[in-house]
Amino acid sequence: MPPPADIVKVAIEWPGAFPKLMEIDQKKPLSSIIKEVCDGWSLANHDQFALQHADSSNFYITEKNRNEIKNGAILRLTTSPAQNAQQLHERIQSSSMDAKLEALKDLANYSRDVTFAQEFINLDGISLLTQMVESGTERYQKLQKIMKPCFGDMLSFTLTAFVELMDHGIVSWDTFSVAFIKKIASYVNKFASDISILQRSLAILESMVLNSHDLYQKVAQEITIGQLIPHLQGTDQEIQTYTIAVINALFLKAPDDKRQEMANILAQKQLRSIILTHVIRAQRAINNEMAHQLYVLQVLTFNLLEDRMMTKMDPQDQAQRDIIFELRRIAFDAESELNNSSGSMEKRKSMYTRDYKKLGFINHVNPAMDFTQTPPGMLALDNMLYFAKHHQDAYIRIVLENSSREDKHECPFGRSSIELTKMLCEILKVGELPSETCNDFHPMFFTHDRSFEEFFCICIQLLNKTWKEMRATSEDFNKVMQVVKEQIMRALTTKPSSLDQFKSKLQNLSYTEILKIRQSERMNQEDFQSRPILELKEKIQPEILELIKQQRLNRLVEGTCFRKLNSRRRQDKFWYCRLSPNHKVLHYGDLEESPQGEVPHDSLQDKCKSCTKIVTLLLLLYKEEGTFPPYCVWTDGLNALLGKDMLSDLTRNDLDTLLSMEIKLRLLDLENIQIPDAPPPIPKEPSNYDFVYDCN
């Protein structure tokens, strides 16, 4: 007979004694269980003891998390969180360097546990650590030359404990002094060779900026871009990631009037080229956290365009009108010089109107009116002028080529540029805040200081080319824009490494090629609507679902290693889970590093027969990444184990693909034969049955 659900069999350790096997009744108060354990070893003052997991986490067991204890778990009897916090609070103030170092090391480890953290913070532990950073370490700096490793380790453990304690969100970031900020900022320069100190100092600065407006201003005064740049030129990707994270935080929290100024400083310091050389084109893979930080920097950089995108043109502003005159001058320069020498004002106005029509503006008399819609506002005019000045030959060719066509076939440069600018802003989500989970950065945007403008220049030439290929007229304008958007999106999905490579990808995506791709996709995703096909689909769908289910369960048996995300999205821990071959038990546990191949069942310290815990852990690990493939595989597999439907996007895609392939295979013999929508009519009964005979 299986034990009651509330009874958990565990082993409990105590230093110097043999482990005790006992059954824990989850209905009993935790204090009663601890007293029972203490009595078994004749230990008095049971209220000064607690239970904790004996694995690498060493997390305390509380009334809130006790339900996570599973059969076969190994626990440890230890001092209570309050006692432990009090002891460590005293030990880290020891006059002995060795004792202090050991205490700080223990504090850094225990601070990951929110139960301990709360007790230590209640003792004003955060203030003690900040005082040690501000002044307490100074007296040891004199000993740096003879005790440098010890000093470095001590400071590293102090900062680690501080970061872990603050990550729990118990204490506000607004409480820290300028002296503390100055000290942390100084470590960014002073300890460039000490990776652990540098990493934690950068993490603290990032959190300060993101969590407090007042601290942003103080940090911005203490740390400069010039001080951060050298850390990007190293080879440690984690340090590079933290450095870009600090730059992004300063960029994100900067007031609107300071952002452009900061962008100018970044340009002066050649941040883009440094990132391109030492990060993007370095001889190593870019991890997810670095990809996220590069994506954030990309978004923040493009968001600088929002002001121009939302600025309407003032038709009375002569400086703005001069830009339009400059577009006309560049396009029709020779002709303008010839005509400006003579002729009345009326004649020149007529000539301007004719030229503005050739330039493709909607309002030929006053083209400034074309830029009063936001978005794209003045950004469209900026792009047109950049194209005219920096790609003058292409600009003149497009304008003159279209002005010589018949009216109905000309591609209006002005109107096209305005709509294209608006489209590019939508594609790049200009003006939107960066997503907390997205890693979608494009290397090509880090290859040029004016990447958006160059992006526009490539795309406006593509638009003109596609217009000709489609033999479009003004009535087809929206259709052309849809095709151009598809061309751009398909080229972007290949993640070209440079603008030239992007241009090359577009060359291969002609209108004819887009039609072929669309036709192929329609064939692959074709949803046959005739009743016989629908009936065939209905018949074979259970077989396909069973096939997908078996594949998911096989993947669960193989197991998966997940990265654990902490509150700052750092991915420094691993968690492995696999299903037993008999599909009865789930084995899981934490790992210090990513495994090579499968992890044996017996090396995973936890197991359970309920999917609820695993589902919860998966949600915690990847709560913002619901389309992450391993996450989809596991949720599908767990649903299959529970007898529920597999509802992920991955299953829907697999089902559609496999169903389509299976139907096409079964219909090969019917190729070129039209399948009727309805079965053929049953013939009338014969007038007699003389043709029937008995074979016997």
Side-chain angles (χ1 to χ4, degrees), residues 288-307:
N288 288 339
E289 180 59 22
M290 173 59 85
H292 172 71
Q293 294 300 339
L294 291 173
Y295 153 78
V296 172
L297 182 58
Q298 172 185 292
V299 171
L300 294 177
T301 303
F302 284 143
N303 279 356
L304 294 171
L305 303 169
E306 183 182 12
D307 182 55

Side-chain angles (χ1 to χ4, degrees), residues 524-527 537 541 544-549 551-552 626-629 631-633 635-637 639 645-661:
N524 290 333
Q525 301 173 3
E526 193 170 15
D527 186 14
K537 264 190 174 183
Q541 182 165 314
I544 302 297
L545 284 172
E546 183 61 28
L547 183 66
I548 295 172
K549 174 183 172 182
Q551 188 271 343
R552 300 292 192 262
T627 58
F628 183 65
Y631 177 91
C632 294
V633 168
T635 52
D636 286 341
N639 278 326
D645 293 335
M646 298 179 291
L647 302 174
S648 74
D649 290 339
L650 189 63
T651 290
R652 283 196 291 272
N653 292 337
D654 288 349
L655 180 61
D656 290 343
T657 301
L658 293 173
L659 262 178
S660 177
M661 290 174 60

Side-chain angles (χ1 to χ4, degrees), residues 482-499:
Q482 289 172 5
V483 172
V484 169
K485 183 174 184 179
E486 185 174 347
Q487 290 170 314
I488 294 170
M489 294 298 291
R490 288 185 184 277
L492 285 177
T493 56
T494 64
K495 293 294 179 74
S497 60
S498 67
L499 289 163

